[in-house]
Amino acid sequence: MIRWYYFLVIVLVIFLAERLLPATGLVSISLFPLFAIILLLRSQNYVTDFWRVVISGLIFDGFSGFGFGFLTLIIFLLGLTIYLARNELAISQRSWFSSLTFFILFVIEYQALFLLKSPRHYLIASLPAALAYSLIFYWLLTWVLKKTTNDIF
Amino acid sequence: MVRGFYKTYFLVSIAVSAILLINKYLFVDFWTDGLYMIFNKPGVFLVDNLGKAADFSAKVFYSSFQISKITAENEDLKTENLKLLSEVARLKKSEQENDLLRKQLTIPVEDQRQLLAAKVFSLNQNSAASTLLINKGTKDHAEKSMAVIAPGNVLIGALNRVFNDYSEVLLLDDPRSTASVKIGDAGIIANARGVGHGQVSLELVTNNESVSQNDLVVTSGLDNLPEVLLLGKISNVGLKGGNLFKTVTAGLFDYPVTNPNLFVILR
C-alpha cells in the first residue's frame, strides 16, 4: 500500500504538472485519472487507495473544465470496473504485459466517458496521442511507485 | 475484501453525493469557490511567471538556432507594419468623416466597449476540455457568454460558468465552443468549432466559396460575440469529392494561452 505522504506528494506533483503542461501546448490527457487507474490496478489495499483517490478527485474535479461532479463520477465508475476486473479476471496476478493491456483498456474507458459530451470522431482523433502520453506516464509512475510502496510491481 | 470494498464504495458514494448536492442546492458552489479561493494567488503567481519563462526560453532557443529565420521574419514584420500604419491612417480619416456625418444626421455614436481586466490563475487543458479560470465573477458584473480577449483584440473564448468571484472561460479550441466568423476579405460567413490543440474547424464553407491558407478569421458579430475580434488564420483547406462543404481548419493566434492578463468585454 502506498504511504499517505507519498500519495500526497505524487498528487501535488500531478496537480502542478496539470497546471503547467498546458502552457507547452503538449497536453493530450488528464494525468490524475491515469494515476488513479495505475494505483488501483496494482494496489494491495484497494479500499484505502480507492477512497484516497476519490477524495483527491474532488479537488481535481474543480479544475477539470466540466461541471463539478463529472470527473468524480468517472472516477467512481473506473473504480468499480477496475475492482470487478481484478476480482473476476485476477489481473493483478498476471504478467506486466497483460497489466499494460488492461491499463490501455481502462484508459480508453476513461477517455470514452470523459468525451461522452463530445462528438464521436473527436474521441477517435484524440485517442492515439492520449494513449502515447498514457504509456509514458505509466512507465514513469510505475517506477516511482516501486520506490515508494511495499506493493509488488 | 469483497464485502469491505462494497461497503466502502457505498459509504463514499453517500458522502460524495452529499457534497455534490450541498454544493448544487444548499450552499451553492461552496466547494468550487473554496478551491479557487485557495488556489487563486498561487495560481496567478504560477501563470505570471510561466508566461515570462516561456517567453525567455523561446527567445534563448530561437536566437541560438534560427538566426537567419528570425532576420527574414523581421523584414516581413517591418513591411507588414508599414502597411498596417497606412491602413490605420486611412481608418482614422474614415472615422473622422463618420463622426462628422453622424453629427450632421444626428445619429447617436456607438457605445464604446467596456473592458474588465482579469488575471488567469489556472489553465485546464486535456483531451476533452480547454478552459481557463480567471479571478473575476458576478460581483464584477461578469455574465455567461461574455467574450474574453487578450491584448490586441484577440478573442480567447467566452465565459462558460460564472461564480461570485471567479469565472471559467471556454477557450475557442474546446470541442463545446462555437463562434460565428468571417473569413478573409470576402467576408465569407462560417461556424468555428473547437477541435483541440489550438485549432478550430470552420464549418459551412461551400465548395463555391473561395478560401485559402493564411486568410484572416475574425468574429462576424452575428452571435453573442462582438464583431471584428481576431481569431486566427486558416491553416488547411481540404475538399472531399461529393461533399457540399469544404474541410477548413484554422490555427488560433493565441495558443497556448500564456498571457496572464485578459479582458472581459462587458455588455
Side-chain angles (χ1 to χ4, degrees):
Chain A
M1 183 182 83
I2 186 171
R3 293 195 174 85
W4 67 268
Y5 38 88
Y6 286 128
F7 179 87
L8 210 62
V9 167
I10 292 172
V11 164
L12 196 65
V13 168
I14 289 173
F15 185 80
L16 287 172
E18 281 194 358
R19 303 280 80 73
L20 296 172
L21 282 175
T24 62
L26 294 174
V27 181
S28 280
I29 192 164
S30 272
L31 298 179
F32 178 74
L34 297 184
F35 166 63
I37 292 169
I38 295 168
L39 186 67
L40 295 177
L41 267 177
R42 309 311 298 245
S43 173
Q44 298 297 310
N45 191 337
Y46 198 88
V47 169
T48 309
D49 285 334
F50 174 70
W51 71 256
R52 280 177 184 168
V53 158
V54 169
I55 301 297
S56 316
L58 282 171
I59 296 169
F60 282 86
D61 204 332
F63 298 90
S64 66
F66 287 95
F68 182 65
F70 186 60
L71 182 64
T72 306
L73 184 64
I74 291 174
I75 299 281
F76 265 99
L77 287 169
L78 273 174
L80 186 61
T81 48
I82 292 173
Y83 181 78
L84 290 171
R86 281 180 58 142
N87 256 13
E88 301 302 319
L89 303 173
I91 53 178
S92 57
Q93 315 301 328
R94 293 171 186 238
S95 65
W96 68 266
F97 180 74
S98 63
S99 297
L100 185 62
T101 312
F102 279 104
F103 169 71
I104 291 170
L105 287 173
F106 287 121
V107 168
I108 294 172
E109 178 196 352
Y110 153 62
Q111 279 284 90
L113 289 170
F114 213 41
L115 288 165
L116 261 176
K117 297 181 181 182
S118 305
R120 203 173 299 145
H121 68 83
Y122 193 71
L123 166 65
I124 296 163
S126 65
L127 256 181
L131 285 172
Y133 277 103
S134 305
L135 288 171
I136 295 168
F137 189 73
Y138 177 84
W139 269 296
L140 193 62
L141 192 65
T142 308
W143 179 82
V144 169
L145 287 174
K146 263 186 203 168
K147 304 288 178 193
T148 58
T149 72
N150 50 8
D151 292 346
I152 298 163
F153 276 83
Chain B
M1 182 189 159
V2 173
R3 210 186 291 176
F5 169 72
Y6 286 123
K7 186 179 167 189
T8 305
Y9 194 83
F10 177 70
L11 289 170
V12 174
S13 316
I14 299 288
V16 168
S17 304
I19 292 173
L20 293 178
L21 287 169
I22 292 169
N23 186 66
K24 180 89 178 162
Y25 298 109
L26 197 57
F27 301 110
V28 179
D29 296 327
F30 85 98
W31 188 269
T32 39
D33 268 345
L35 273 178
Y36 298 156
M37 188 174 69
I38 293 166
F39 193 64
N40 180 21
K41 283 193 177 144
V44 166
F45 174 80
L46 209 64
V47 175
D48 251 338
N49 288 289
L50 195 64
K52 287 173 192 163
D55 284 341
F56 176 74
S57 56
K59 276 178 196 162
V60 167
F61 178 78
Y62 284 111
S63 64
S64 307
F65 295 104
Q66 300 193 8
I67 292 173
S68 58
K69 190 178 171 193
I70 291 169
T71 313
E73 275 178 1
N74 202 19
E75 289 303 315
D76 289 341
L77 282 168
K78 278 183 189 169
T79 315
E80 205 173 325
N81 197 26
L82 287 169
K83 280 185 198 168
L84 287 169
L85 283 171
S86 74
E87 188 75 24
V88 164
R90 204 173 54 75
L91 282 168
K92 273 190 180 158
K93 192 178 167 222
S94 299
E95 211 174 278
Q96 283 164 357
E97 285 170 3
N98 201 10
D99 277 339
L100 187 61
L101 285 167
R102 279 181 185 278
K103 280 178 190 158
Q104 294 284 345
L105 297 167
T106 61
I107 297 170
V109 179
E110 280 175 4
D111 288 334
Q112 295 294 320
R113 284 175 191 163
Q114 245 191 315
L115 299 178
L116 172 68
K119 282 266 190 192
V120 176
F121 67 91
S122 180
L123 298 165
N124 313 320
Q125 283 182 300
N126 51 55
S127 50
S130 193
T131 63
L132 50 84
L133 296 168
I134 58 173
N135 61 355
K136 295 286 186 231
T138 50
K139 280 185 185 170
D140 308 288
H141 309 291
E143 290 170 14
K144 188 176 169 165
S145 305
M146 282 182 172
V148 179
I149 58 173
N153 268 355
V154 178
L155 182 66
I156 298 294
L159 295 183
N160 185 32
R161 291 183 294 152
V162 186
F163 306 99
N164 277 340
D165 297 300
Y166 313 99
S167 301
E168 182 187 71
V169 181
L170 198 68
L171 298 177
L172 288 169
D173 62 340
D174 188 293
R176 296 164 289 175
S177 176
T178 57
S180 175
V181 298
K182 271 194 297 198
I183 305 171
D185 293 332
I188 295 163
I189 302 290
N191 186 45
R193 184 178 293 277
V195 291
H197 298 286
Q199 302 276 316
V200 291
S201 167
L202 302 178
E203 299 167 343
L204 309 174
V205 178
T206 62
N207 288 336
N208 298 332
E209 286 166 328
S210 172
V211 293
S212 43
Q213 243 182 347
N214 294 322
D215 275 352
L216 192 63
V217 182
V218 299
T219 50
S220 66
L222 295 173
D223 53 8
N224 280 335
L225 302 169
E227 63 177 329
V228 204
L229 295 174
L230 298 172
L231 257 87
K233 284 188 177 179
I234 290 183
S235 54
N236 187 48
V237 182
L239 179 61
K240 283 185 187 166
N243 275 10
L244 187 58
F245 300 105
K246 289 182 177 173
T247 314
V248 185
T249 46
L252 298 172
F253 281 133
D254 207 346
Y255 177 81
V257 177
T258 51
N259 192 338
N261 302 304
L262 300 178
F263 301 93
V264 180
I265 300 179
L266 301 173
R267 289 197 196 101

